[in-house]
Amino acid sequence: MVKKKTAGRVSGRGTTTATAAESKKPKKFGQLSRKEREMMEEYGELVPQAFDDDDTDQFGSLRKVIKESDLDYEEQLKRDRELSEDEEDNDVDEYKLNKRSAFSKLVGALKKSSKRQDDWKKRKIEEEGLEDMDDSEEPALEDEVVTLTEAERKALIKKHGKGYLKALDGMDDDGDEDDAEDEAVEMDEELEEGSVDQTAEGEDSAEEEDIKALAEEEDIDEDSDDEDHFLKTKDTFERHFSDQITSSLAHKVAVVELPGNKWKGMPYEDPVLKRVEKFDVDNVEGSPKDSKPKKKTLDLESLSVKQRLQLNWEEFNEPTVRDAGNTKKSKLFTPLQQALVEPVNDYRDILFTNRTAQSAQEIRNIYVLHALNHIYKTRDRILKNTAKLQRHQQSTDSSSDIKEYRDQGFTRPKVLIILPYKNAVVDVVESMIALSGSTQQDNKKRFTEEFDHEDDDEHTSRIKDRPVDFQETFKGNIDDHFRVGIKFTRKTMKLYSDFYSADIILASPLGLKTVIGAEGDKKRDFDFLSSVEVVIVDQADDMLMQNWDHLETVFDYMNIIPKDGHGCDFSRIRNWCLDGRSKYVRQTMVFSNFLTPEINAFFKKYSRNVAGKLKVTQAYEHGSIVDVIPMVQQSFNRIEAKSLAQADGSRFEYFISTTLPQLRRSALTQTHTMIFVPSYFDFVRLRNFFTENKYSFAAISEYTSNANVSRARSNFFHGEASFLLYTERFHYFRRYNIRGTFHLAFYGLPEHPQFYPELLNLLALPSGTAGSEKSRSKHIAAQGLEDRAMSCTALFTKYDLLKLQRIVGNERAQSMCRQEGRDLFVFT
């Protein structure tokens, strides 16, 4: 049978499916499988092909069919040789063993004497079924090694499929060393831990460019994962988050978890930070205390800050340094930043309670620098190790074992910044853009529309007469329900990235709480918190005025082993992360304007960092009582309480049995009395008591509507309501001037120390603004109130020590809480 020559090209093998008509056509030799080739060589027919389609060619129409019996001659000789070996017959003719068929002789002679060697090669290609390939794509013949450039290999894969090169190389699917490289051309490789954002086109190519760039970057040590490098490096990032710390982590965790609070602190005074208490794992009860840390001049190089951040830091931080008046001493840091940058860079947990409206930007710049530095180091480490793995896969020496690189967590997010309002998010994002030097910000317009609301004229006029801290807190957008993920590449900063693709998450406690959900909810997610390594809580005192329980809920679900893998590479997850010890490596930083029992307990509960922690508090020499303007007698009544659980009950009993009767002693002093209540639960308790006993009162809380607030203020000012119940949260959010107040009773001391003088300065206030003492006296004389004495009464227990310190000062507060035999303290 003579086969007809087929026209057209041959597609890449394994990429197309033959139709029924095509399956009936005779296959070319190159289209046969290995087994079919062996069968053909042993039993099939050979059909010499024409060298080309030229009719003038002497072999153009030559086709010779060789019968199977003719081609079996050599096979018969082989069988005779095997038979002779078995029968030990040495008389077999050696000439027969080496004798070739007539056709083989003819073909050999033609090849040897022909002047058209190229035609013979072309004939071989036609037999292989590859005659339609370009010269640049021509593979080597069987048993030859194909050497192609990287560009040629990618071009062939793109044109014919990855199975094409395997067929040319004569390799099976298993054992192809270039599989990883070929697959990288067709599919997106997950270069970084966690899920890659599939919506952004071109990001994968950007990651590949970053890998190549990292190979030439000098600040990444090739041997950074070795034990020797771990012991010698000064980079705290490497020392704190390297997988090498796993072996020593168990001992440190045991010290942190010692019962009985034996992880003792070392207190000392700092000229900038004031009162500091330092906690170290090595400083346990019974061990010698370390001396006060020595001051040293720090620069970005010694802090191992990434080069791309060093280039932008001086220009970025220059306005803050100028405002602090520190241009002569240092151009890099203000005194506060100089004191904070080292413990922050050492990955210690920090509780800083000396924050003010003036120092807010200094602190924000430091933690933004730290967050970006951590993200860049983590990302560069992962990309560099990925490049090493790719180089190993592409190397010819595949016999060597692949080194294990453990540089990731379960999910990608590494930094979580928790803020109370959207206006703070705008400041942080703008700082990140300026410091990172990113040339492109994706979704910036959407972010501006949702977060950056300019104050209108009405809002500006409403807050212009408010205190400075109120203007700073409530400027712009004060929405407290938000969350946004940010992803960084080498040149791009992408806002609104999916949590599992983001490097940094900015969110409010309420925004995270709605995602985490509650027990029993069908849709809840908290796996994105499993591998967070740096947590920053800024303006923690403002969160006390929201819902503190939301913040604690977020930390309850922090660093829990996730329920789903989310596409992570378990071979690269750090061992201490797999052991469930991430919370002992996580750095937690809390910044607040003052210290409260809630913040103190929060830091003590969730701070488990083996790198140690730093607690910075403020010494109040005089307290906010010195800001009181009117000459008012201020009485502080101490209430005895046997325990913290009984304090609220004891306070209520004392108020209704002692304080309230004094306020109602005469009709003259009964009217115009404001009762300040810090807790909403106490507010409800008092409101119910006043309602049951038919007191003449008005009530204003954070949940009161605007119409009811106006009605209550009017009734109180005109004397139609004798008492006004007033909550601290309402004063925090509105900061109203309540006119008509002549007697002030603090059911409990306010958390915010500035609230105490602000409320006292409202006594006999003639208008919506606090006037001078002279104008106040004129108003009192005009109203005929000269003989009416203004008064102030405040109740406290020994458990209110921190509040009392902020109002009267540390020394007086200690004396008032501990003094025996005296429960009344009067200030004038």
Side-chain angles (χ1 to χ4, degrees):
M1 181 182 72
V2 179
K3 292 192 293 185
K4 296 181 180 180
K5 183 178 179 180
T6 59
R9 61 179 298 170
V10 179
S11 62
R13 296 169 201 142
T15 59
T16 58
T17 303
T19 61
E22 292 175 345
S23 61
K24 296 180 181 180
K25 297 180 181 179
K27 294 182 179 180
K28 296 183 179 181
F29 190 78
Q31 294 175 310
L32 301 178
S33 65
R34 182 175 298 178
K35 187 174 181 180
E36 289 175 333
R37 290 184 185 184
E38 294 176 354
M39 293 288 292
M40 177 64 74
E41 292 173 352
E42 187 170 0
Y43 301 108
E45 62 179 11
L46 294 179
V47 182
Q49 300 287 330
F51 294 149
D52 49 34
D53 296 332
D54 188 2
D55 293 336
T56 61
D57 193 288
Q58 56 178 332
F59 299 102
S61 59
L62 176 61
R63 289 187 179 276
K64 180 180 179 180
V65 177
I66 306 299
K67 295 182 179 179
E68 184 177 336
S69 58
D70 297 334
L71 295 176
D72 284 345
Y73 181 75
E74 292 183 357
E75 186 64 27
Q76 183 63 37
L77 292 179
K78 294 180 181 179
R79 288 197 292 269
D80 291 342
R81 180 169 58 183
E82 294 174 358
L83 182 62
S84 65
E85 292 176 353
D86 294 337
E87 298 177 353
E88 298 182 357
D89 185 6
N90 298 325
D91 296 332
V92 180
D93 191 356
E94 288 294 327
Y95 173 76
K96 291 183 178 181
L97 294 178
N98 299 322
K99 185 177 180 181
R100 300 170 60 193
S101 64
F103 177 73
S104 297
K105 289 183 178 181
L106 174 62
V107 172
L110 289 174
K111 285 183 179 182
K112 205 168 186 179
S113 59
S114 176
K115 296 180 181 180
R116 304 184 65 181
Q117 298 292 336
D118 294 338
D119 293 336
W120 283 104
K121 292 181 180 180
K122 186 174 181 180
R123 171 183 169 179
K124 181 64 176 178
I125 293 174
E126 288 176 345
E127 290 179 356
E128 295 288 336
L130 306 174
E131 65 273 12
D132 293 324
M133 288 183 58
D134 299 334
D135 294 338
S136 59
E137 299 176 354
E138 180 179 342
L141 300 181
E142 191 174 5
D143 298 331
E144 292 184 359
V145 178
V146 181
T147 303
L148 299 176
T149 64
E150 185 72 16
E152 291 173 342
R153 295 183 68 88
K154 291 183 178 180
L156 290 177
I157 292 172
K158 184 177 181 180
K159 187 174 182 179
H160 300 292
K162 66 177 183 179
Y164 191 77
L165 285 182
K166 293 180 181 179
L168 296 182
D169 295 339
M171 293 185 179
D172 297 329
D173 288 341
D174 53 349
D176 190 354
E177 188 177 284
D178 293 322
D179 278 355
E181 178 184 353
D182 298 341
E183 292 174 2
V185 180
E186 293 184 331
M187 61 194 305
D188 295 331
E189 182 183 4
E190 194 167 284
L191 298 177
E192 298 180 69
E193 62 183 291
S195 175
V196 178
D197 190 358
Q198 300 296 328
T199 61
E201 297 181 359
E203 288 187 359
D204 296 311
S205 60
E207 302 289 0
E208 293 178 0
E209 293 179 1
D210 290 349
I211 292 178
K212 295 179 181 178
L214 284 173
E216 303 176 355
E217 196 164 311
E218 296 181 356
D219 61 348
I220 294 183
D221 191 354
E222 286 291 329
D223 300 326
S224 57
D225 298 293
D226 296 340
E227 184 71 24
D228 293 340
H229 176 82
F230 171 73
L231 297 175
K232 297 177 182 178
T233 182
K234 295 181 180 180
D235 190 347
T236 52
F237 170 81
E238 296 289 348
R239 296 189 63 85
H240 187 65
F241 291 101
S242 174
D243 192 59
Q244 303 288 347
I245 69 169
T246 304
S247 57
S248 61
L249 196 58
H251 168 70
K252 295 180 179 180
V253 169
V255 174
V256 172
E257 296 294 347
L258 280 174
N261 192 25
K262 294 185 179 180
W263 191 14
K264 297 297 181 179
M266 183 197 70
Y268 62 90
E269 291 290 334
D270 186 272
V272 178
L273 300 179
K274 307 300 182 184
R275 302 172 64 181
V276 182
E277 193 172 6
K278 183 179 179 182
F279 297 83
D280 285 317
V281 173
D282 298 332
N283 185 27
V284 297
E285 188 176 22
S287 63
K289 293 185 178 181
D290 298 332
S291 59
K292 180 180 176 180
K294 297 180 180 180
K295 288 291 182 181
K296 53 184 178 181
T297 304
L298 300 172
D299 56 18
L300 299 178
E301 190 69 30
S302 62
L303 295 171
S304 301
V305 176
K306 297 293 291 184
Q307 185 67 29
R308 70 194 79 168
L309 297 176
Q310 293 185 30
L311 297 175
N312 301 322
W313 171 255
E314 186 172 344
E315 180 181 357
F316 165 73
N317 197 50
E318 191 271 336
T320 306
V321 175
R322 185 178 61 252
D323 293 341
N326 195 50
T327 54
K328 294 182 179 180
K329 294 182 180 180
S330 173
K331 294 183 179 180
L332 291 177
F333 303 110
T334 66
L336 177 59
Q337 291 175 335
Q338 186 79 19
L340 276 178
V341 67
E342 185 176 11
V344 169
N345 190 69
D346 289 343
Y347 286 96
R348 289 180 177 272
D349 286 356
I350 296 176
L351 174 59
F352 184 86
T353 60
N354 294 349
R355 182 184 180 276
T356 62
Q358 293 73 26
S359 65
Q361 194 60 46
E362 300 178 56
I363 297 171
R364 187 158 291 163
N365 287 0
I366 283 294
Y367 72 66
V368 167
L369 171 67
H370 181 63
L372 290 179
N373 193 43
H374 182 79
I375 289 299
Y376 285 155
K377 286 185 177 181
T378 301
R379 182 173 175 275
D380 289 352
R381 170 64 53 217
I382 294 172
L383 293 179
K384 183 185 77 70
N385 291 339
T386 302
K388 288 182 180 180
L389 292 174
Q390 288 184 351
R391 286 198 300 269
H392 185 277
Q393 292 173 352
Q394 295 171 1
S395 63
T396 56
D397 185 13
S398 59
S399 60
S400 60
D401 296 334
I402 300 178
K403 187 175 181 179
E404 188 178 69
Y405 295 105
R406 295 196 173 271
D407 51 12
Q408 302 180 10
F410 293 104
T411 54
R412 176 165 177 164
K414 289 294 176 289
V415 176
L416 173 64
I417 302 178
I418 304 178
L419 301 164
Y421 304 112
K422 283 185 175 180
N423 53 19
V425 179
V426 175
D427 292 341
V428 172
V429 170
E430 289 178 350
S431 298
M432 288 183 176
I433 293 174
L435 184 56
S436 65
S438 58
T439 58
Q440 178 181 346
Q441 298 86 38
D442 294 348
N443 301 320
K444 178 68 180 301
K445 183 178 179 181
R446 174 187 171 188
F447 174 80
T448 302
E449 293 174 353
E450 294 185 11
F451 282 79
D452 192 8
H453 288 176
E454 293 292 338
D455 295 339
D456 53 21
D457 295 337
E458 182 181 356
H459 181 73
T460 303
S461 62
R462 187 168 60 250
I463 69 173
K464 68 178 181 179
D465 295 329
R466 301 292 196 274
V468 176
D469 65 293
F470 182 88
Q471 297 181 28
E472 184 67 24
T473 303
F474 293 99
K475 65 180 180 181
N477 193 340
I478 56 172
D479 185 9
D480 64 346
H481 187 194
F482 60 88
R483 52 187 178 268
V484 57
I486 303 178
K487 178 181 178 179
F488 288 90
T489 62
R490 199 169 188 85
K491 299 180 181 179
T492 305
M493 175 179 171
K494 181 180 180 182
L495 298 164
Y496 293 99
S497 179
D498 179 76
F499 275 2
Y500 292 97
S501 302
D503 297 302
I504 298 178
I505 297 176
L506 300 174
S508 64
L510 178 60
L512 292 174
K513 172 66 176 179
T514 54
V515 177
I516 294 174
E519 294 290 343
D521 292 349
K522 293 183 179 179
K523 290 185 178 181
R524 54 190 314 227
D525 187 14
F526 46 83
D527 287 351
F528 59 89
L529 299 173
S530 61
S531 300
V532 172
E533 297 172 351
V534 177
V535 182
I536 301 167
V537 182
D538 197 5
Q539 299 176 242
D541 54 298
D542 291 321
M543 298 176 193
L544 288 170
M545 297 292 103
Q546 297 174 345
N547 192 329
W548 188 254
D549 183 65
H550 291 342
L551 183 62
E552 293 187 339
T553 300
V554 172
F555 275 78
D556 286 337
Y557 288 93
M558 197 85 68
N559 298 123
I560 297 178
I561 295 179
K563 296 181 179 180
D564 188 83
H566 300 283
C568 66
D569 185 358
F570 283 91
S571 66
R572 296 183 66 175
I573 296 179
R574 298 183 180 98
N575 285 294
W576 49 261
C577 193
L578 294 171
D579 294 340
R581 292 175 174 171
S582 298
K583 65 179 180 179
Y584 298 104
V585 183
R586 183 191 71 227
Q587 182 187 29
T588 303
M589 292 184 286
V590 181
F591 299 96
S592 173
N593 288 17
F594 49 82
L595 181 63
T596 69
E598 293 85 356
I599 296 176
N600 201 26
F602 171 85
F603 188 71
K604 183 178 180 181
K605 179 180 179 181
Y606 296 106
S607 175
R608 290 287 185 267
N609 191 352
V610 296
K613 55 185 177 181
L614 209 67
K615 183 178 178 181
V616 182
T617 57
Q618 185 174 352
Y620 299 93
E621 184 177 356
H622 302 292
S624 61
I625 195 172
V626 298
D627 297 326
V628 175
I629 296 176
M631 301 298 293
V632 180
Q633 180 175 294
Q634 305 164 51
S635 301
F636 288 81
N637 296 285
R638 187 178 67 189
I639 303 172
E640 296 297 333
K642 295 182 179 180
S643 65
L644 181 61
Q646 298 178 359
D648 290 339
S650 300
R651 190 192 307 271
F652 179 76
E653 293 296 333
Y654 184 89
F655 180 81
I656 64 175
S657 63
T658 304
T659 305
L660 192 58
Q662 292 177 356
L663 296 175
R664 299 189 61 196
R665 187 163 299 170
S666 65
L668 184 64
T669 59
Q670 177 183 351
T671 59
H672 299 281
T673 301
M674 177 194 289
I675 302 175
F676 179 86
V677 188
S679 171
Y680 181 76
F681 300 104
D682 291 332
F683 169 83
V684 173
R685 192 174 188 178
L686 285 176
R687 186 185 61 186
N688 295 340
F689 176 82
F690 275 47
T691 303
E692 292 172 1
N693 291 274
K694 298 181 179 180
Y695 279 72
S696 173
F697 77 100
I700 298 178
S701 72
E702 57 269 31
Y703 301 109
T704 307
S705 64
N706 291 333
N708 290 335
V709 168
S710 300
R711 186 179 300 109
R713 293 178 65 188
S714 177
N715 292 339
F716 180 71
F717 177 74
H718 292 95
E720 298 177 4
S722 300
F723 297 95
L724 175 65
L725 299 180
Y726 189 78
T727 63
E728 182 174 8
R729 283 191 178 181
F730 179 85
H731 188 70
Y732 167 80
F733 285 108
R734 303 292 185 88
R735 211 69 69 92
Y736 282 172
N737 293 324
I738 307 298
R739 295 182 298 164
T741 303
F742 287 91
H743 304 280
L744 184 60
F746 286 93
Y747 184 81
L749 298 177
E751 290 285 3
H752 294 72
Q754 68 271 24
F755 289 178
Y756 182 83
E758 282 180 11
L759 294 172
L760 272 173
N761 293 339
L762 297 177
L763 297 180
L765 187 67
S767 61
T769 59
S772 63
E773 187 65 26
K774 184 177 180 180
S775 62
R776 186 188 307 276
S777 301
K778 290 182 179 180
H779 171 74
I780 293 175
Q783 297 293 330
L785 303 173
E786 299 91 339
D787 297 333
R788 173 170 294 187
M790 295 176 290
S791 65
C792 174
T793 301
L795 308 182
F796 72 96
T797 68
K798 63 181 180 180
Y799 301 106
D800 297 325
L801 176 62
L802 295 177
K803 297 179 182 179
L804 194 61
Q805 286 177 347
R806 295 192 287 271
I807 295 175
V808 301
N810 289 77
E811 294 184 2
R812 282 182 285 189
Q814 293 286 347
S815 176
M816 292 168 65
C817 289
R818 296 177 180 177
Q819 191 170 355
E820 298 289 342
R822 184 181 176 186
D823 296 332
L824 178 62
F825 304 89
V826 181
F827 295 84
T828 56

